[in-house]
Amino acid sequence: MAVEDGLSNIKNALERVGYKVVSPDTGGKIDATIVTGMDDNMMGMQDIKERSIVLEAAGKTEDQIIDELRNRL
C-alpha cells in the first residue's frame, strides 16, 4: 500500500493489520494508493505512476479504508 503524506493515522492503522505501507513515490508495484483527495485534477483523475486501486481518504475512517481495501483486493 502507498499512503500519501498527511495520512499517518491511516498508515498506522494499515500497518497494525499487517499491510506494508510505503510512500506513493516509491518505485515498484503498488496494490493500492490512499490519497487525501487534494491532488485531484479537473477531470477527477489522480497522478499515480503505477496502475493500482486509488482510494480517497476524505471523510472516511481508518476502518472504512481497511474494509474498502479488503473488498477490492
Side-chain angles (χ1 to χ4, degrees):
M1 300 303 133
V3 176
E4 201 171 64
D5 291 339
L7 296 173
S8 59
N9 58 330
I10 292 173
K11 177 185 182 287
N12 293 336
L14 289 169
E15 289 175 334
R16 272 194 306 275
V17 297
Y19 288 106
K20 179 181 176 187
V21 179
V22 298
S23 172
D25 8 342
T26 301
K29 184 177 178 340
I30 297 170
D31 293 326
T33 304
I34 316 300
V35 298
T36 61
M38 296 174 68
D39 292 335
D40 287 342
N41 66 18
M42 291 182 353
M43 298 293 289
M45 309 267 303
Q46 300 292 335
D47 184 18
I48 304 297
K49 293 177 187 172
E50 297 289 327
R51 287 192 157 199
S52 69
I53 297 168
V54 178
L55 299 178
E56 187 174 322
K60 295 179 184 172
T61 67
E62 294 90 354
D63 289 336
Q64 287 172 319
I65 294 291
I66 290 167
D67 287 343
E68 192 168 343
L69 281 171
R70 286 178 175 158
N71 289 331
R72 295 183 68 187
L73 290 177

